Amino acid sequence: MDADLCLSDDPSDKPPCRGCSSNLVEPYIKCAECGPSPFLLCLQCFTRGFEFKKHESNHKYEIMTSDFPVLEPSWTAQEEMALLEAVMDCGFGNWQDVAYQMRTKNKEECEAHYMKNFINNPLFSSTLLNLRQIEEARTADTAIPFKPTDDPPRPTFDSLLSRDMAGYMPARADFMEEFDNYAEWDLKDIDFVDDDSDILHALKIAVVDIYHSRLKERGRRKKRFARVVGPIEHDKFIESHALEFELRREIGRLQEYRRAGIQSFCSAKVYERVKQVREDERRKRTMLVDVLQYIQDGRACQQWLTTGRRCAPPLNLTGLPGTEKLNDREKELCQVVRLVPGAYLEYKQALLNECRRQGGLRLAQARALIKIDVNKTRKIYDFLIKEGYINKA
């Protein structure tokens, strides 16, 4: 029999025991004759002489364990692996957290062992250098030469387009995908209302707390350099990036001035004021085009444009199907909420049926019943309550 190293103590990394199908715990047995897939047995099945198909109890075997020293007598192979994983998770220099994750060594022991055997060890340094040279020599002949092309178009710094396209990578023509990219989906239908029960309110709070923890993990994974450098070096790295961003923005502004023929900062101030006025006029023209898609009253458009209102104008119900079935108050509601009469009548009937079936209706139930904007649902719900069509549960 031979003693061999087990590369992981995680039960999910290796097959279960072939005898009892339980998760294997070190030490366990590996048959040296059965293969190519490993035939593994726990100690209990091995002592009973378990046999299966071609495997016999008299086969040669190996004892799989990592409870033996590798670099120092007081450190087992399993502890060496746990130390490396803890440094990767907590970051180099965070020895208090590394020791807490390991649980078998204190802060001073972890730091001294890591610095002695993995940082200041000349054997490891020369080995890594040789491996790098071998890899470079192996790929020298097969490497594909990279020929840079023109830089793809990018939105200008601090522009509205750059904010709308946050996370877009022009060179890849794709958006950056976050870790746990769909974490926000669990929150899209959550709304805190006054008539929620205590249990429902507590469940919503719990969902929000879970979302915050997922955001923290997302932020932690973005700080890749913070795991391998100290806090001071990481702060300097971030400050350098921020300074680079500011310099690029200032260089872009000066290049724009030069293209416009501006030669003094006084002329630049006038240019910025004129540019802002021109941008405001362009935005107003764009808003006017959007309004004309919904209403035909030119005077209303001009009044809305000059007053600078950002809310959408009332919906014109003239000629829309179902308008004749509405009373004056319902017409006013549809105009303000910007809901066509046919859809309003459908939503109204659905809420009335549900209210009669349950003897009352809560706002949360109404929002689950009609899948539209939550603010529109609240206005419709409050209107039907006020007019006496439905009553609260």
Side-chain angles (χ1 to χ4, degrees), residues 3 81 95 148 187-188 217 226 254 256 263 331 353 370:
M81 295 166 57
W95 302 114
L187 297 179
K188 63 185 180 66
E217 178 62 19
L254 294 176
E256 181 183 358
Q263 299 180 355
K331 291 179 181 179
N353 294 338
I370 54 177

Side-chain angles (χ1 to χ4, degrees), residues 207-219:
V207 172
V208 174
D209 291 340
I210 294 173
Y211 172 69
H212 285 166
S213 65
R214 297 165 78 177
L215 284 185
K216 290 181 181 179
E217 178 62 19
R218 180 185 293 175

Side-chain angles (χ1 to χ4, degrees), residues 317-337:
L317 303 181
T318 304
L320 294 181
T323 306
E324 68 281 357
K325 300 180 182 179
L326 306 180
N327 56 39
D328 294 338
R329 291 184 297 275
E330 290 177 323
K331 291 179 181 179
E332 182 180 358
L333 173 68
C334 290
Q335 289 176 335
V336 173
V337 180

Side-chain angles (χ1 to χ4, degrees), residues 74-75 79 98-100 102-107 109-110:
S74 59
W75 283 73
E79 290 176 331
V98 171
Y100 178 79
M102 285 197 59
R103 299 184 182 277
T104 58
K105 302 292 182 180
N106 57 35
K107 171 184 176 182
E109 291 174 333
C110 293

